[in-house]
Amino acid sequence: MTIRVMLVDDQVLLRTGFRMVLAAQPDMEVVAEAGDGVEALQVLSATAVDVVLMDVRMPKLDGVEATRRICAQPDPPKVLILTTFDLDEYAFSGLKAGASGFMLKDVPPGELLAAIRSVHSGDAVVAPSTTRRLLDRFAPMLPTAGRQPEHKELERLTEREREVMVLVAQGLSNGEIAARLVLSEATVKTHVGRILTKLGLRDRVQVVVLAYETGLVRAGGQG
């Protein structure tokens, strides 16, 4: 199956570079491009796309709002936020808007390709530890970050599930969580699945975001 990719970035040179990398892959095809969020929404209304590589800072409509509108549609494509990391304080908002994760603009080609394949298959697109570093940097800048009372939905979790959620948010993989809690990796995977179902979350990225929003985990990775 060919993965249909859309490139959304106001820098033509950057889109050209990504297109060349993707075009060399037998399982990927760049089916659309756009220079801003408005154009992206227009193109998506008439083009079937599986994965959108979305820049954050663009004219007319930025990547965060474009992502929010895309993810609100029925059966939307997956969205990967493209960020310069050191400059884009909006990346956290992009994750909240429904993006499946984020990539650095200078990501090595191999990592970009792996991320596209991963998100297309329904998995999280970035290592939780990478997401955590982003949130550690920008969560304190949000007016309510870490200051809200815990959300009622967390009461649905068992004590063990809350424990697993904290470790997910701290950047541990299933294997690392299994070793920490002396459980099998399959059991940890089951716990993560139940957390996603009970909280109505799509993937591990959303688990991390919610853990920060509710104060279950604070900036710095402390639970």
Side-chain angles (χ1 to χ4, degrees):
M1 177 184 294
T2 300
I3 303 173
R4 298 165 297 189
V5 181
M6 180 178 187
L7 306 176
V8 184
D9 197 296
D10 60 338
Q11 298 181 43
V12 177
L13 186 59
L14 188 65
R15 295 205 310 266
T16 300
F18 281 151
R19 190 190 322 119
M20 291 176 62
V21 171
L22 271 57
Q25 305 304 306
D27 61 339
M28 295 184 191
E29 179 184 4
V30 176
V31 297
E33 296 185 30
D36 59 66
V38 172
E39 184 182 2
L41 291 168
Q42 293 172 342
V43 173
L44 279 173
S45 67
T47 307
V49 174
D50 299 311
V51 179
V52 178
L53 297 185
M54 179 74 74
D55 187 23
V56 174
R57 299 185 176 190
M58 295 181 294
K60 298 183 181 179
L61 188 69
D62 65 44
V64 173
E65 181 58 29
T67 296
R68 183 176 293 109
R69 297 185 189 183
I70 290 171
C71 293
Q73 298 175 358
D75 193 25
K78 302 290 186 180
V79 178
L80 303 188
I81 293 289
L82 294 172
T83 174
T84 52
F85 185 60
D86 286 333
L87 298 177
D88 287 340
E89 63 272 21
Y90 307 112
F92 181 90
S93 298
L95 296 178
K96 288 183 63 178
S100 296
F102 73 95
M103 300 296 296
L104 303 183
K105 282 193 173 183
D106 59 355
V107 61
E111 291 185 21
L112 174 65
L113 297 172
I116 293 172
R117 294 185 179 105
S118 181
V119 71
H120 182 252
S121 69
D123 294 332
V125 302
V126 292
S129 57
T130 306
T131 304
R132 187 194 67 209
R133 286 196 297 273
L134 177 81
L135 298 181
D136 282 348
R137 182 177 180 86
F138 295 122
M141 300 179 185
L142 302 176
T144 58
R147 298 181 179 87
Q148 301 183 67
E150 290 193 0
H151 288 198
K152 288 289 187 181
E153 57 261 36
L154 294 185
E155 296 176 2
R156 304 172 193 164
L157 303 181
T158 65
E159 184 177 347
R160 175 64 84 186
E161 288 165 353
R162 286 172 66 97
E163 194 173 9
V164 170
M165 183 174 178
V166 168
L167 295 177
V168 168
Q170 290 178 348
L172 276 65
S173 67
N174 285 353
E176 291 168 335
I177 294 172
R180 177 78 63 88
L181 300 180
V182 194
L183 300 171
S184 71
E185 193 165 341
T187 297
V188 172
K189 187 175 182 180
T190 297
H191 282 312
V192 172
R194 288 175 179 166
I195 291 168
L196 295 177
T197 299
K198 287 183 177 182
L199 301 182
L201 304 177
R202 184 184 60 246
D203 53 36
R204 294 173 75 104
V205 173
Q206 291 193 336
V207 171
V208 178
V209 171
L210 183 62
Y212 274 76
E213 286 188 319
T214 58
L216 189 62
V217 171
R218 297 183 298 277
Q222 300 299 314

